[in-house]
Amino acid sequence: MGNNGVVESSVLLRRAALFRLSRDRPMAGPFAPKRLAQLAIIIVLALMLEPSHARGPFNLVPPGYKQGGSYSLRFYGHGVNDIDRVKIPIDPHVPADVGASDFTLEAWVKATLPQNPSPPCTPGNDNWIYGNILFDRDVWGPGDFGDFGLSLANGRIAFGVHNGTSGTTLCGARLVADGAWHHIALTRRRADGFLRLFVDGQVDVQGDGPDGDVSYRDGRATSYPNDPYLVLGAEKHDARPAYPSYSGWLDEVRLSTVLRYSGAFTPPSQPFTPDAYTAALYHLDEGPEGACTGIVVDSSGAVGGPSPGVCRYGGAPPAGPVYSTDSPFTGSTSTPTPVLSATPTRSLTLTSTPAATPTQTNTPAPTSTSAPPQPCRLSAAKRSSDVVLSWTAAPNATAYRVYRGTTPYFVPSTPYATTTDLTYTDTGVTGDPTMNYSYRVSAVHPTGETLCDNRVGEFDVALTAGSIRGAALNDLAIPLDVSAVITDAEGLANWIEAEGGVPFATVRQLLKWDASRQTFLAWDHRFGFGDNFAIATGDFILMTLNRDAPPVTTFVGRVPEPGEVSFGLSPGAARGCALNFISLPFDQGALTTADQLSDAIGIPDITVIQALDWDATRQNPLVWLNVFGLGNNFPTTPGFPYIVCLSATGVPPVWP
């Protein structure tokens, strides 16, 4: 499977740090502060991307998270499109990949039979897969080392294990899908494969099973992208209706590397605390109540961990999974159990002609003293290398004039085209990062001409592809309002791959800086793992790209009005400056150098300690040390991303 994208980004930034150190070593005297400040910024970036930091890019401990049994996770059994489940990656190896030794799998479950209507269990082989699947550590085809899983079959627990050669399924006898909370535990002894299933502290069924290693083999090649995951709440491959997914509540999941139970025991009355044998522990208490869309924390503290999961939320109402206050430790609540209204569908295909997203701002002054009472509204979409303009009809209009300029806020003068239609296609204009176009449309009416009340444009961004040696780190800004087609990290990755490359492979990882917490939000596009952060106009995005990346990506959308794009800034402290990732808004075109940009924020030569611009072609930053007036006073361009490191003095709360 390769290393996770966080490691890739970290390696790239460390490479940049080493390069700059070797290049700057001869510098001394007054240049020494410059070298040290440059290195400090690069090393901070590298450290923030290092996966061993518990509060690093995957936000492993969400703000407000508390252990305490106040929530559970509610699944709705959608069983399609990789949604309504928790996915825990296990390759590269993490402690949650149990099976190489003895292990115990236990959790609290609450379900009803009508919502889990699978047929009775039949002992033997892999028959557990025909129940409503709750834990899926299956692999498609031969088991390699092995696989295992757990389901509800006719409301009873079915637990199956396969070692790649032979398999078996234990069929429980006790009804657990009765609307009450039940503690279930499953133990498996490696030496002889002996299996036990416990319900509420009592042995429900036990028997012989296949022996040997049933873990996931590290680096195992597979054509099935969900193989290297432990999945909670669903059948991982969404293979077909014969293998249904679980509908119900789940809480307090623990994986252990020992046989926790051999006979009757008293079920736990409070959340688990980790010990030396805890491989993974999911309290499922991240909250708040409602949609689970982020990281599921592993609280085990296991060596080599953690083993975090990620919620894949979605589906036709009711969508899942969701955090519920119904927990075995807080007492059951009367929770409605809505019935699925329809089979959900999910498409990653981008709409080529999206509807406009109205964001009423400043209305341009009409060019005639007698304008229609309602101006038209303009939208734009990308189609191949064309820009497709469309607009709403204006009252009394006899024709429409299209104006095109090379700056976002150009003043219309000579029409580029005239039409009586409500659409116009400008052909072959995208794909050139050195020339970006903006558009205005006006309605011609008997008494004059009135501009539509907004601007649209296209903005081409050059990309640097990776090489045979590894991925390339790229940065870009989102200069236009593209919310009609891109709303989150996943959508941005899909947009870029639609312009060239391989789906779920070309874009490896996307990163967005959270200045208030001084850490990255990260989304691994290949595996659907991490924080699928929202995308907004003006955002600074880092991404790692494979060697099959397209040379250019093009954004088409509404041009933000002057003053619309701004950034909340985080000041530094006495011990150092604070990183802020911004872009240069279109209305700040007068700032043409790093020095001018730095001095425009707060107090000149004091507030901004340092400004950086990532040079993707060289895989190295350009650095301007503002407080000393030294370094590379690189040019700045509206619509492009920049990093500023701010002192504790004179930092405005918002810029510009």
Side-chain angles (χ1 to χ4, degrees):
M1 299 296 297
N3 289 330
N4 131 346
V6 177
V7 177
E8 294 163 355
S9 301
S10 180
V11 169
L12 287 167
L13 286 166
R14 279 195 168 84
R15 187 181 303 154
L18 292 173
F19 177 86
R20 184 156 294 281
L21 179 61
S22 64
R23 193 182 81 167
D24 288 345
R25 187 174 288 120
M27 299 171 69
F31 293 94
K34 170 192 172 186
R35 181 178 71 239
L36 293 175
Q38 291 173 351
L39 284 172
I41 293 298
I42 299 168
I43 291 171
V44 166
L45 283 168
L47 288 175
M48 296 310 297
L49 288 168
E50 177 58 52
S52 64
H53 286 67
R55 294 182 182 270
F58 282 129
N59 189 17
L60 297 181
V61 182
Y65 172 79
K66 294 181 180 180
Q67 173 183 333
S70 57
Y71 295 105
S72 63
L73 267 186
R74 172 64 158 107
F75 301 88
Y76 287 101
H78 288 89
V80 294
N81 298 329
D82 206 31
I83 57 168
D84 198 7
R85 66 199 64 191
V86 172
K87 299 179 69 173
I88 303 165
I90 55 174
D91 187 24
H93 179 76
V94 292
D97 181 16
V98 297
S101 64
D102 298 346
F103 72 86
T104 301
L105 166 61
E106 58 190 310
W108 285 87
V109 299
K110 176 183 173 181
T112 63
L113 193 56
Q115 292 199 345
N116 295 275
S118 53
C121 174
T122 301
N125 206 13
D126 292 329
N127 291 332
W128 65 273
I129 64 175
Y130 299 108
N132 291 89
I133 295 175
L134 180 53
F135 292 89
D136 193 348
R137 222 299 351 254
D138 179 43
V139 294
W140 192 278
D144 205 15
F145 280 4
D147 57 16
F148 57 88
L150 178 152
S151 67
L152 285 184
N154 193 33
R156 282 82 173 166
I157 298 295
F159 177 46
V161 179
H162 202 289
N163 66 2
T165 302
S166 62
T168 193
T169 293
L170 289 184
C171 299
R174 181 174 171 184
L175 179 68
V176 296
D178 59 1
W181 281 104
H182 296 280
H183 179 264
I184 59 171
L186 310 117
T187 64
R188 191 258 179 181
R189 192 163 57 211
R190 172 180 168 144
D192 57 6
F194 194 77
L195 307 172
R196 281 195 180 95
L197 166 60
F198 300 83
V199 175
D200 294 332
Q202 302 296 315
V203 176
D204 188 25
V205 65
Q206 59 186 14
D208 192 29
D211 57 14
D213 188 351
V214 295
S215 66
Y216 191 90
R217 180 169 61 83
D218 296 341
R220 175 181 179 270
T222 178
S223 299
Y224 299 92
N226 285 310
D227 270 356
Y229 288 87
L230 169 63
V231 173
L232 313 184
E235 190 275 312
K236 61 163 64 174
H237 302 292
D238 296 323
R240 46 186 173 270
Y243 315 126
S245 294
Y246 172 73
S247 181
W249 290 259
L250 178 68
D251 203 3
E252 204 63 16
V253 177
R254 181 170 70 170
L255 299 171
S256 304
T257 56
V258 294
L259 304 177
R260 293 277 185 185
Y261 315 109
S262 58
F265 63 93
T266 301
S269 59
Q270 58 186 3
F272 293 117
T273 55
D275 59 22
Y277 305 108
T278 307
L281 177 57
Y282 306 100
H283 295 299
L284 306 180
D285 285 341
E286 291 78 11
E289 188 174 9
C292 178
T293 58
I295 293 297
V296 173
V297 174
D298 169 23
S299 302
S300 66
V303 175
S307 308
V310 62
C311 274
R312 301 284 289 182
Y313 175 79
V322 297
Y323 287 107
S324 168
T325 55
D326 190 346
S327 163
F329 309 118
T330 58
S332 295
T333 59
S334 178
T335 306
T337 53
V339 179
L340 293 177
S341 60
T343 301
T345 58
R346 175 171 172 250
S347 173
L348 294 177
T349 304
L350 295 172
T351 304
S352 60
T353 56
T357 302
T359 306
Q360 184 75 28
T361 51
N362 298 328
T363 302
T367 58
S368 166
T369 57
S370 179
Q374 296 179 352
C376 45
R377 183 72 182 171
L378 177 62
S379 63
K382 182 178 182 293
R383 186 177 63 195
S384 187
S385 61
D386 305 339
V387 172
V388 180
L389 305 175
S390 58
W391 52 88
T392 58
N396 304 318
T398 58
Y400 297 92
R401 291 172 180 167
V402 177
Y403 296 89
R404 190 179 80 173
T406 56
T407 59
Y409 305 121
F410 74 96
V411 178
S413 57
T414 303
Y416 179 66
T418 301
T419 179
T420 57
D421 296 328
L422 296 178
T423 184
Y424 177 80
T425 299
D426 197 12
T427 59
V429 292
T430 68
D432 182 1
T434 66
M435 181 61 68
N436 296 314
Y437 294 107
S438 295
Y439 300 88
R440 300 296 305 267
V441 169
S442 70
V444 180
H445 49 87
T447 57
E449 178 182 2
T450 301
L451 287 170
C452 293
D453 66 357
N454 63 311
R455 307 165 176 85
V456 296
E458 62 88 20
F459 197 93
D460 305 301
V461 179
L463 300 177
T464 297
S467 68
I468 194 171
R469 295 183 300 170
L473 183 66
N474 284 250
D475 65 341
L476 57 77
I478 309 295
L480 301 171
D481 177 2
V482 294
S483 57
V485 289
I486 302 172
T487 60
D488 53 25
E490 180 80 347
L492 176 57
N494 291 330
W495 179 269
I496 292 171
E497 289 174 341
E499 298 193 278
V502 180
F504 303 108
T506 295
V507 180
R508 293 188 176 191
Q509 188 186 45
L510 300 97
L511 302 153
K512 179 178 175 180
W513 184 250
D514 183 339
S516 64
R517 296 191 301 121
Q518 292 291 285
T519 189
F520 279 105
L521 306 174
W523 175 248
D524 194 308
H525 172 60
R526 295 170 300 168
F527 306 129
F529 181 79
D531 192 330
N532 187 20
F533 51 81
I535 296 289
T537 308
D539 276 353
F540 182 129
I541 306 296
L542 285 164
M543 63 182 69
T544 52
L545 302 178
N546 278 338
R547 55 180 173 170
D548 51 11
V552 175
T553 189
T554 300
F555 299 117
V556 176
R558 181 181 63 85
V559 175
E561 295 297 327
E564 182 178 337
V565 175
S566 60
F567 305 91
L569 301 180
S570 292
R575 58 186 176 84
C577 60
L579 293 172
N580 287 258
F581 289 60
I582 64 173
S583 64
L584 189 62
F586 286 141
D587 58 0
Q588 298 298 312
L591 307 176
T592 60
T593 67
D595 185 51
Q596 291 177 357
L597 172 61
S598 300
D599 287 348
I601 301 174
I603 303 172
D605 300 327
I606 294 178
T607 298
V608 176
I609 302 294
Q610 193 167 191
L612 299 95
D613 180 20
W614 181 251
D615 184 343
T617 59
R618 295 169 54 242
Q619 292 291 282
N620 207 48
L622 307 175
V623 184
W624 172 248
L625 190 60
N626 187 52
V627 292
F628 294 102
L630 298 172
N632 189 328
N633 188 19
F634 52 82
T636 56
T637 305
F640 281 75
Y642 302 100
I643 305 170
V644 291
C645 206
L646 304 182
S647 70
T649 304
V651 178
V654 176
W655 184 86

